[in-house]
Amino acid sequence: GDSVTQMEGPVTLSEEAFLTINCTYTATGYPSLFWYVQYPGEGLQLLLKATKADDKGSNKGFEATYRKETTSFHLEKGSVQVSDSAVYFCALRNNAGNMLTFGGGTRLMVKP
Amino acid sequence: DAMVIQNPRYQVTQFGKPVTLSCSQTLNHNVMYWYQQKSSQAPKLLFHYYDKDFNNEADTPDNFQSRRPNTSFCFLDIRSPGLGDTAMYLCATTTGSRTNQPQHFGDGTRLSIL
């Protein structure tokens, strides 16, 4: 079946540092890929998405590129802020169904 | 703004006392989901509706049930909650006909069983 693997956290960075959160997936066919962010006490918010190979999703300074050859969708940001502290989930939706397959989540902590 | 709204945001109830959580959406999406999330783990799917068709996950406990009276509303009923049901419950929606669309989540209901 489908699966998503994320790097384990927590990831602790200083403000303005470069961020990478690794995400790799296993799926049949051509899934759509998503990053969600969850701030403390809130639901999941869609951060960005990519629906086909070589697509780059971007939002709020975050980027991720759909790499089919390496089955990866790594999240990057050039300069993190304290307000980026949250849990980040990588997920895929396979074109065979309506389900999301989530990675385990990565907690990011940004210190001033 | 079009949204997924969950009520209440916080619910405290006693062990064994039935509780109902509600979700409404203004997105006119035909698929609605209920997830359980514990301690910043990934959300765990309980069940979903595709239009009026109910789809239960194999490992969802029997005391968790759901109702969808119309497109906009969906309810999660826990008949006899146990201490282990303390969690965040998330509702989400999407369009079933377009597989490149994300799920849209509400802010969740944090349920505490005492």
Side-chain angles (χ1 to χ4, degrees):
Chain A
D2 298 343
S3 67
V4 177
T5 303
Q6 290 180 235
M7 60 189 293
E8 288 194 17
V11 173
T12 303
L13 296 173
S14 297
E15 205 165 23
E16 299 184 0
F18 184 86
L19 168 70
T20 299
I21 299 178
N22 290 339
C23 171
T24 57
Y25 68 91
T26 302
T28 56
Y30 302 93
S32 295
L33 302 174
F34 308 94
W35 277 101
Y36 284 88
V37 58
Q38 187 174 33
Y39 299 103
E42 299 185 9
L44 275 67
Q45 299 177 23
L46 178 67
L47 182 58
L48 53 83
K49 72 174 187 179
T51 58
K52 61 183 186 295
D54 300 324
D55 266 2
K56 177 184 284 188
S58 62
N59 186 25
K60 300 180 181 179
F62 291 89
E63 293 182 342
T65 301
Y66 189 146
R67 302 286 189 199
K68 189 163 178 63
E69 64 276 13
T70 55
T71 62
S72 65
F73 192 53
H74 304 321
L75 182 68
E76 297 182 336
K77 187 176 185 182
S79 176
V80 294
Q81 306 300 312
V82 172
S83 57
D84 294 326
S85 297
V87 179
Y88 292 80
F89 291 97
C90 184
L92 71 83
R93 179 176 177 179
N94 203 308
N95 57 11
N98 298 300
M99 301 303 113
L100 275 182
T101 301
F102 286 97
T106 303
R107 180 177 298 278
L108 170 66
M109 300 172 62
V110 181
K111 297 183 175 180
Chain B
D1 290 339
M3 296 177 69
V4 180
I5 301 169
Q6 292 188 243
N7 284 301
R9 289 296 307 279
Y10 304 92
Q11 176 75 54
V12 180
T13 193
Q14 292 179 333
F15 179 94
K17 185 174 181 180
V19 64
T20 294
L21 310 182
S22 73
C23 176
S24 64
Q25 53 122 346
T26 59
L27 296 161
N28 202 33
H29 285 167
N30 62 327
V31 190
M32 295 186 76
Y33 307 81
W34 279 105
Y35 290 89
Q36 180 191 66
Q37 186 183 31
K38 295 185 176 182
S39 303
S40 290
Q41 297 176 16
K44 179 180 181 295
L45 183 65
L46 295 172
F47 26 58
H48 76 281
Y49 278 92
Y50 192 114
D51 294 321
K52 295 182 179 180
D53 293 333
F54 178 71
N55 300 272
N56 199 31
E57 293 301 298
D59 57 353
T60 297
D62 291 340
N63 68 326
F64 284 73
Q65 297 179 338
S66 185
R67 296 169 283 137
R68 189 179 187 186
N70 54 53
T71 299
S72 301
F73 285 87
C74 196
F75 300 96
L76 169 61
D77 301 308
I78 309 177
R79 286 188 301 181
S80 181
L83 299 179
D85 296 328
T86 292
M88 172 79 92
Y89 290 86
L90 297 167
C91 174
T93 73
T94 196
T95 53
S97 59
R98 299 177 63 184
T99 56
N100 62 356
Q101 294 303 301
Q103 291 183 14
H104 299 264
F105 286 81
D107 282 337
T109 294
R110 187 171 294 280
L111 178 64
S112 296
I113 310 299
L114 304 180

